[in-house]
């Protein structure tokens, strides 16, 4: 199976991602560190380390924000040497890791909410308390830190926690897994790390742990149902538990516990939970019960053909932070949590690794360049938890949240962006996203996503295939191996050339990139009579300080005007005047429209310059 090169072997160089990574190491990581400090997230660990028994601050799963930040900062350590500046965070890393080491219990348990509260209640409310969700992020941070630094300090904390987990849950212990998936994909990450270190036995053990946790979802009797029926346990945290009961009966949908994974056919419940669950299941479906691969295929189709925004946002409803019904994709109150889009990126990445089919990358890039990146401001220090496709003034970015899952999640995603570009195995190099970068096998020069022209230079000599993805949005492409007559074949969305490659060989690619109007399936009732503008993978929106985006209508006789390399598109149309007289309603008369040229900008860049009104879907 092709895999990304280790991040330590990828140097991102293009103007788009290198700039995001510059901001990550010079702005975002420090700003988030400060938030971790002032909101008590770090002092929770310090209190436990000092032996205190009370004083926990924040939400019960706040430890996970520290772990996600540690993961992002680990990636930051690879990027930071390229930049001048003196941020505070590099020096904080080891200190924070030390406080985790000191806080961890002898038996490996680590969760400051219970350590500063009633430790007797640990592992009792799996549905709502997020102990394994936090532990999963600890594992991801430990793996990332080891991969980026070679240091074992954080990894050892993670391994000790994973061993503790196995002592509590598994075939030799008790049934049950976390209501919020995350630990499954984290254990698989740990397993892979062990495999690359030649520790096959450990690799197999952690994979078996992950498989066991995956097997628990949908098992009956449901552990979560028993928790809901126990007043003391249910009382520990109510919000999520309530949603497991529909019409007074246990449903389980909120936590994807309604059916065993192999019997699931639709994407339901909490969106982040769903994305993390299926990311893990995709990695190991051939070792799961028969039907799992088919189930994942059905879920993917339901997700991407019925329940996804054009921005790659998923999970329209705030009520359950998740999914509702097919085609229910309201724009104004779209929840579309940043973490859910990031989860979709990860799910799609696993699918393309398994199937080498570029259609998964079409979704990946939609979610990455739009619904995920919209979660962070261009300044790198303000965030959006929800990502509505329309704004009438109520939505704005903020420096942090009480429930701050999204900010460190987008930070780590920026840090690891290079992973989504290229997949490699012995016989193949797949260029999925033409991110400008250098690796040990190839380098890419690109101004993606604002231009479709890029060049690939081969660094690894040998006989193998190079497959360059031709995105779904591209109608015409040119593909040339310089100085060669070799023709590409087209397979599963890739232009493929198999030959003896020499170091220095060059491929020149031009993906025709022009602005395109998109329409939605007619059953997306919120978008009837509206269109959206996309150029390459980037979805655009009209943003204005007044309500023009809502009053604007596109003139379809005029093409949108865009210059390659730019992130502004001019669209000609008409604006409905706000003058109406001193009445609220009147008999239909002249609409009072004026010519107007609107400047569209990438959806992800909205809410940076003070524009309060936004629309992705525009009237025609
Ligand atoms: O519950 C942990 C995280 O916080 C979820 O993934 C988000 O949806 C938010 O609820
Ligand atoms: Zn989030």
């Amino acid at each position: 199976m092709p895999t990304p090169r280790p991040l330590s072997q990828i140097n991102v160089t293009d103007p788009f991602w290198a700039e995001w990574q510059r901001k990550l190491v010079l702005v975002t990581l420090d700003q988030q560190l400060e938030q971790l400090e002032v909101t008590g997230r770090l002092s929770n660990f310090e209190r436990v380390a000092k032996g205190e028994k009370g004083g926990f601050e924040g939400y019960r799963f706040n430890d996970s924000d520290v772990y996600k930040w540690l993961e992002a900062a680990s990636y930051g350590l690879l990027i930071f040497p390229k930049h001048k500046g003196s941020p505070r965070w590099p020096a904080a890393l080891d200190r924070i890791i030390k406080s985790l080491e000191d806080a961890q219990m002898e038996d490996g348990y680590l969760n400051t909410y219970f350590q500063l509260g009633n430790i007797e209640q640990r592992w009792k409310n799996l549905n709502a308390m997020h102990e394994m969700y936090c532990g999963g992020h600890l594992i991801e941070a430990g793996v990332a830190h080891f991969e980026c630094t070679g240091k074992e300090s954080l990894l050892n904390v993670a391994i000790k926690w994973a061993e503790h987990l196995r002592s509590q849950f598994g075939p030799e212990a008790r049934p049950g897994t976390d209501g919020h998936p995350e630990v499954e994909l984290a254990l698989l990450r740990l397993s892979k790390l062990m495999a690359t270190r030649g520790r096959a036995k450990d690799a197999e053990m952690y994979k078996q742990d992950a498989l066991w946790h995956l097997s628990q979802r949908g098992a009956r009797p449901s552990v979560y149902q028993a928790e809901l029926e126990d007043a003391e346990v249910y009382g520990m945290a109510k919000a999520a538990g309530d949603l497991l009961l529909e019409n007074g009966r246990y449903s389980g949908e909120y936590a994807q516990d309604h059916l065993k994974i192999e019997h699931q056919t639709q994407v339901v419940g909490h969106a982040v939970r769903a994305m993390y669950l299926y990311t893990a299941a995709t990695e190991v479906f051939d070792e799961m019960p028969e039907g799992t691969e088919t189930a994942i295929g059905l879920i993917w189709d339901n997700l991407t053909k019925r329940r996804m925004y054009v921005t790659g946002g998923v999970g329209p409803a705030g009520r359950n932070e998740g999914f509702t019904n097919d085609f229910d994709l309201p724009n104004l109150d779209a929840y579309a949590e940043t973490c859910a889009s990031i989860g979709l990126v990860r799910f799609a990445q696993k699918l393309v690794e398994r199937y080498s089919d570029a259609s998964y990358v079409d979704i990946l890039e939609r979610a990455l360049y739009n619904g995920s990146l919209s979660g962070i401001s261009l300044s790198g220090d303000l965030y959006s938890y929800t990502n509505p496709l329309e704004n009438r003034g109520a939505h704005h970015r903020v420096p942090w949240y009480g429930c701050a899952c999204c900010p460190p999640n987008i930070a780590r995603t920026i840090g690891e962006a290079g992973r989504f570009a290229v997949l490699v195995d012995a016989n193949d190099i797949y260029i999925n996203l033409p991110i400008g970068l250098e690796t040990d096998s190839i380098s890419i020069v690109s101004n993606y996503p604002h231009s479709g022209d890029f060049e690939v230079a081969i660094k690894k000599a040998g006989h193998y295939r190079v497959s360059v993805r031709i995105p779904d949005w591209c109608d015409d492409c040119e593909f040339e191996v310089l100085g060669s007559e070799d023709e590409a074949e087209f397979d599963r969305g890739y232009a493929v050339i198999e030959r003896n490659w020499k170091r220095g060989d060059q491929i020149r690619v031009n993906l025709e990139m022009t602005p395109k109007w998109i329409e939605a399936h007619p059953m997306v009732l919120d978008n009837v009579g509206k269109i959206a503008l996309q150029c390459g993978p980037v979805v655009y929106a009209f943003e204005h300080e007044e309500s023009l985006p809502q009053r604007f209508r596109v003139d379809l006789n005029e093409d949108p005007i865009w210059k390659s390399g730019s992130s502004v598109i001019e669209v000609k149309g008409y604006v409905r005047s706000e003058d109406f007289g001193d009445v609220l309603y009147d008999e239909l008369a002249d609409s009072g429209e004026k010519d107007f040229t609107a400047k569209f900008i990438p959806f992800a860049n909205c809410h940076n310059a003070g524009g309060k009104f936004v629309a992705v879907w525009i009237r025609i």
Side-chain angles (χ1 to χ4, degrees):
M1 205 158 50
T3 51
R5 302 297 299 137
L7 279 186
S8 55
Q9 305 288 332
I10 305 174
N11 178 20
V12 171
T13 54
D14 71 24
F16 187 87
W17 285 107
E19 173 58 9
W20 274 116
Q21 294 194 337
R22 185 193 67 79
K23 284 186 279 198
L24 175 73
V25 297
L26 296 185
V27 179
T28 310
L29 286 168
D30 261 1
Q31 183 267 344
Q32 295 195 355
L33 173 62
E34 192 184 336
Q35 293 298 332
L36 297 178
E37 288 165 346
V38 300
T39 60
R41 281 166 170 84
L42 291 180
S43 49
N44 285 336
F45 287 97
E46 286 152 15
R47 281 178 206 277
V48 176
K50 279 193 251 155
E52 292 178 24
K53 297 283 179 236
F56 179 85
E57 287 180 70
Y59 280 102
R60 59 195 182 283
F61 44 82
N62 272 9
D63 290 358
S64 63
D65 302 329
V66 175
Y67 301 146
K68 268 186 267 184
W69 181 88
L70 283 167
E71 187 182 341
S74 300
Y75 304 143
L77 289 173
L78 297 175
I79 299 161
F80 179 54
K82 297 196 279 182
H83 298 283
K84 286 206 175 77
S86 44
R88 225 160 47 85
W89 62 267
L93 223 71
D94 286 339
R95 176 168 45 80
I96 296 171
I97 292 170
K98 175 78 172 59
S99 81
L100 266 53
E101 287 169 343
D102 293 346
Q104 186 163 36
M105 288 169 62
E106 270 305 298
D107 68 0
Y109 187 79
L110 181 58
N111 184 294
T112 66
Y113 176 81
F114 285 103
Q115 289 172 281
L116 292 174
N118 183 353
I119 193 71
E120 298 304 318
Q121 288 194 320
R122 67 180 180 167
W123 298 132
K124 281 196 173 162
N125 184 335
L126 303 183
N127 164 41
M129 300 313 292
H130 290 66
E131 286 154 285
M132 293 181 217
Y133 167 84
C134 290
H137 280 300
L138 169 62
I139 293 175
E140 288 207 82
V143 171
H145 187 250
F146 175 77
E147 285 175 344
C148 297
T149 64
K151 291 189 197 169
E152 302 205 21
S153 50
L154 186 54
L155 182 62
N156 285 340
V157 178
I159 288 175
K160 197 169 163 188
W161 182 88
E163 299 303 318
H164 170 78
L165 180 71
R166 191 179 320 107
S167 76
Q168 303 295 310
F169 298 92
E172 311 292 323
R174 38 177 289 217
T177 189
D178 205 279
H180 198 313
E182 158 64 24
V183 77
E184 309 82 344
L185 70 84
L187 286 164
L188 290 173
R189 243 182 118 169
L190 183 56
S191 167
K192 266 200 177 150
L193 175 68
M194 292 300 159
T196 57
R197 297 178 78 192
R199 288 164 55 172
K201 222 170 119 210
D202 289 340
E204 183 58 24
M205 184 174 70
Y206 294 123
K207 185 170 75 181
Q208 289 305 327
D209 289 346
L211 284 164
W212 186 85
H213 282 278
L214 286 163
S215 76
Q216 295 301 289
R217 212 151 286 272
R220 294 293 180 266
S222 165
V223 168
Y224 307 137
Q225 182 170 6
E227 291 171 1
L228 293 172
E229 288 162 0
D230 179 326
E232 191 206 344
V233 171
Y234 182 43
M236 286 161 70
K238 289 208 177 64
D242 288 340
L243 290 158
L244 285 158
L245 292 169
E246 275 173 16
N247 303 324
R249 293 182 53 224
Y250 180 73
S251 132
E253 283 200 353
Y254 175 72
Q256 295 79 40
D257 188 50
H258 53 306
L259 291 168
K260 300 278 286 183
I261 297 174
E262 60 270 27
H263 297 135
Q264 298 184 15
T265 55
Q266 291 193 317
V267 65
V268 298
H270 185 276
V272 185
R273 292 178 185 223
M275 294 304 101
Y276 289 6
L277 179 67
Y278 303 129
T279 299
T282 300
E283 189 164 338
V284 283
F285 59 58
D286 40 6
E287 296 180 58
M288 290 174 65
E290 205 182 329
T292 306
E293 181 177 4
T294 307
I296 288 170
L298 292 171
I299 289 164
W300 177 258
D301 278 355
N302 178 244
L303 172 68
T304 56
K305 296 180 181 166
R306 298 285 183 270
R307 298 185 178 202
M308 180 185 75
Y309 286 100
V310 71
T311 55
V314 290
R319 170 182 66 81
N320 62 346
E321 297 190 295
F323 296 99
T324 55
N325 302 310
D326 287 352
F327 303 117
D328 179 32
L329 295 165
N331 296 314
L332 186 59
D333 55 356
Y335 200 72
E337 181 181 339
T338 302
C339 287
S341 273
I342 292 171
L344 174 55
V345 169
R346 286 158 205 269
F347 182 16
Q349 172 82 356
K350 288 292 168 215
L351 283 159
V352 68
E353 286 176 16
R354 297 237 48 164
Y355 292 115
S356 302
D357 181 333
S359 67
Y360 297 113
V361 189
D362 294 334
I363 301 290
L364 187 158
E365 72 172 357
R366 187 176 287 286
L368 181 65
Y369 285 99
N370 303 292
S372 301
L373 271 183
S374 57
I376 185 165
S377 65
L378 290 176
S379 56
D381 57 358
L382 297 170
Y383 307 95
S384 264
Y385 185 117
T386 61
N387 297 282
L389 284 78
E390 182 180 354
N391 186 16
R392 298 183 191 168
H395 180 74
H396 51 272
R397 297 182 183 280
V398 296
W400 197 245
Y401 295 91
C403 172
C405 48
C406 301
N409 215 357
I410 189 63
R412 70 178 178 143
T413 304
I414 289 170
E416 65 177 339
R419 263 205 247 273
F420 307 119
V422 176
L423 296 177
V424 179
D425 67 14
N427 300 316
D428 291 279
I429 295 179
Y430 293 93
I431 299 172
N432 285 336
L433 292 181
I435 294 178
L437 49 73
E438 283 170 31
T439 69
D440 43 3
S441 39
I442 56 166
S443 61
I444 303 176
V445 177
S446 156
N447 187 20
Y448 203 72
H450 297 309
S451 162
D453 295 337
F454 61 95
E455 285 179 6
V456 180
I458 300 293
K459 289 166 119 181
K460 186 181 85 168
H463 187 96
Y464 55 90
R465 284 181 295 262
V466 173
S467 300
V468 178
R469 171 176 156 258
I470 310 300
D472 59 347
W473 48 258
C474 175
D475 294 332
D476 196 15
C477 68
E478 286 165 23
F479 184 94
E480 185 192 0
V481 181
L482 298 192
S484 144
E485 301 287 299
D486 288 357
E487 295 274 320
E489 287 183 9
F490 289 84
D491 183 31
R492 286 171 294 172
Y494 292 99
V496 186
I497 292 207
E498 179 171 1
R499 62 183 229 134
N500 279 317
W501 294 98
K502 293 191 309 299
R503 197 180 156 80
D505 280 350
Q506 283 193 304
I507 306 170
R508 190 173 290 156
V509 184
N510 170 259
L511 305 174
E512 187 191 69
M513 193 183 270
T514 51
K516 287 190 171 154
W517 290 112
I518 307 291
E519 62 177 341
H521 189 293
M523 289 311 290
V524 183
L525 301 182
D526 292 74
N527 295 341
V528 174
K530 293 182 175 175
I531 52 177
L533 188 60
Q534 185 172 331
C535 188
V538 179
V539 173
Y540 281 71
F542 179 16
E543 179 183 64
H544 202 272
E545 57 273 17
E546 292 171 28
S547 60
L548 268 52
Q550 281 72 18
R551 288 186 282 122
F552 183 72
R553 169 170 84 82
V554 177
D555 180 353
L556 282 176
N557 296 316
E558 300 270 357
D559 286 335
I561 301 166
W562 175 70
K563 273 204 215 96
S564 175
S566 161
S567 57
V568 176
I569 302 179
E570 287 187 2
V571 176
K572 292 213 159 58
Y574 312 94
V575 160
R576 178 77 164 80
S577 161
E578 62 193 303
D579 297 335
F580 199 64
D582 191 27
V583 290
L584 191 53
Y585 306 102
D586 203 355
E587 198 173 315
L588 181 64
D590 180 357
S591 68
E593 284 187 329
K594 284 189 220 134
D595 289 359
F596 189 83
T597 301
K599 286 194 166 56
F600 280 54
I601 60 170
F603 167 73
N605 294 2
C606 289
H607 308 114
N608 282 291
K612 293 197 188 82
F613 291 82
V614 173
V616 168
W617 291 98
I618 309 285
R619 290 186 307 120
I620 46 177

